[in-house]
Amino acid sequence: MTTRTRRTRNTRAGRTRPTRRTGFAVAGSFLAALGMTAPAQAAAGVTAASCKPSIQVLQKLPGTDDPHPSPWVRHTQVSAIAPGHSRLAVGMSGMKPAYWIGEQVYAVPVPEGSSTGRVKDVNRSGLMVGQVTTREGSKAFSYRHGDPAITVLPGGDEASGVNDRGVIVGSLWDAAQNRTIGVEWSHGRPRRELPPPAGYMLGQMSGLNNTGQVSGNGWELERRPGAQFLAVPGLYWPAYPDSTPSVLAPFDDTGDHHVTRGIDDSGRIVGYARRSQGPDSAEYAVVSNRPDGPAVYAPWAPGAIGGTFDSISPNTGVAVGLAEFTYGSPPPPDSPPARAQYWTGKGPMRVLPGLGPSLFTAAFAVTDDDRVGGAALDAQNRVRPVIWTCASKQAYVLESPRP
């Protein structure tokens, strides 16, 4: 008898001084401290040919071990890696906003009384953005290494993405209108509202690229003769402020979910689609090469029962995410419930190695220089933030068929 692995997804996890610096301009001493090169002088990054394959295990904040380690309940992870010759990565440790310089962990200095939060993204100059839960509710913030406190972004509950020009996107729950509003900030100030397409409600923003294009998620209750269902499509906003947002091309007419997770500099959007409803629904990792074109379904890893994409590299087209599995009972050796998956856009789906033969991995970030950030279970049953360097040389195709 086979049993299906079940999981629960996390979809969302004070006042401070005003923003004084955002975008590209930072002091050279700050860049030097992070081992970064100024953008005008930076090369494209260390190439896969010159990197050394390894799994870099990062430190965790004290007292932040996950009580119930799971690849789907995300408490500890690397969520983004700064582009270029950088040693800076960001994410969360035990649901606390955290970042790393090399392997060393730093706590983001959030307001007193804050509970959970995360750093969602970071740009080339080291500007971090994210969300923290305070006594006054959820707050969007920006932060740089060395600042004494975060900068709360006005009019935002969560910041989801930042590009190399310092533009930030996120969202706000407007209780008076009973809806979520998309927000774009520039120089720390709201620049424009990002409304959903007509007839849809906004769920959450998911990505921003260096050209200013934005991805997100929406929903609509569709009614048809004798039936109604919830449609959950991906959304897209062009870079031009006056442009009309659009709904990503639908997969079919069964009310399937389409969750977007990121957008690259050419406008390709990655995420996943749920192709059917009910307890046996399956998830398919997808790439939308154009907002108005059909999605490309990525292959499942051999033996997988589903898969998702959580990130795409800015320019090289590599997508990473999670491959999910089911096993007989007792499970065979080397049988974690999930593995970090790695896809170049063609060929079979590959997976990344873990910290042991039967320990799960998950991937949430990928760079042009072939680094992948995520999480991995260690032999002591602890979830560790990790970075795979030279990931293409470590990724491999599972044997097929898989039990």
Side-chain angles (χ1 to χ4, degrees), residues 49-365:
S50 62
C51 65
K52 180 180 179 180
S54 67
I55 306 177
Q56 187 179 15
V57 180
L58 311 184
Q59 296 176 358
K60 297 179 63 174
L61 295 175
T64 58
D65 283 342
D66 298 342
H68 305 289
S70 165
W72 302 291
V73 180
R74 300 170 182 178
H75 292 172
T76 297
Q77 67 182 55
V78 173
S79 301
I81 302 171
H85 294 291
S86 171
R87 300 165 59 238
L88 176 64
V90 302
M92 57 180 169
S93 178
M95 297 190 75
K96 302 289 186 180
Y99 64 100
W100 296 266
I101 300 176
E103 295 178 359
Q104 184 173 351
V105 66
Y106 295 84
V108 173
V110 297
E112 184 178 355
S114 299
S115 53
T116 61
R118 68 183 69 190
V119 188
K120 298 290 292 291
D121 201 7
V122 60
N123 71 4
R124 184 180 291 271
S125 68
L127 179 64
M128 312 174 211
V129 299
Q131 172 270 337
V132 63
T133 303
T134 71
R135 290 169 177 170
E136 292 77 34
S138 181
K139 301 292 183 182
F141 71 84
S142 66
Y143 179 73
R144 290 187 187 277
H145 173 66
D147 284 353
I150 61 171
T151 296
V152 174
L153 296 170
D157 293 338
E158 180 178 40
S160 305
V162 58
N163 67 18
D164 288 340
R165 294 185 291 116
V167 176
I168 301 169
V169 297
S171 59
L172 166 71
W173 170 252
D174 188 328
Q177 300 185 58
N178 195 34
R179 67 187 181 103
T180 299
I181 298 173
V183 184
E184 183 177 278
W185 293 269
S186 180
H187 302 291
R189 297 185 299 272
R191 183 167 75 169
R192 63 165 171 157
E193 182 179 326
L194 297 168
Y200 288 85
M201 299 292 286
L202 179 64
Q204 193 175 32
M205 314 306 292
S206 64
L208 167 70
N209 66 17
N210 284 321
T211 68
Q213 297 169 309
V214 180
S215 62
N217 300 291
W219 60 271
E220 177 194 32
L221 187 62
E222 294 193 1
R223 293 177 174 85
R224 298 186 181 180
Q228 68 178 27
F229 57 85
L230 187 67
V232 184
L235 305 179
Y236 165 79
W237 290 262
Y240 305 105
D242 296 331
S243 300
T244 303
S246 60
V247 178
L248 297 189
F251 298 99
D252 52 38
D253 61 355
T254 61
D256 291 351
H257 286 46
H258 178 195
V259 177
T260 68
R261 291 298 195 194
I263 183 170
D264 75 2
D265 285 349
S266 71
R268 285 177 294 206
I269 297 173
V270 297
Y272 65 90
R274 187 170 295 120
R275 293 287 302 275
S276 61
Q277 306 298 312
D280 296 323
S281 62
E283 291 168 349
Y284 292 75
V286 297
V287 179
S288 297
N289 291 314
R290 302 191 323 274
D292 59 346
V296 174
Y297 288 83
W300 281 353
I305 60 168
T308 63
F309 283 146
D310 275 270
S311 180
I312 185 169
S313 58
N315 298 289
T316 58
V318 175
V320 299
L322 200 65
E324 305 175 34
F325 297 89
T326 185
Y327 301 99
S329 183
D334 190 14
S335 58
R339 295 173 186 261
Q341 62 180 15
Y342 180 103
W343 197 51
T344 62
K346 59 183 178 180
M349 185 66 69
R350 293 187 284 168
V351 298
L352 292 169
L355 301 178
S358 300
L359 305 175
F360 71 73
T361 57
F364 307 112

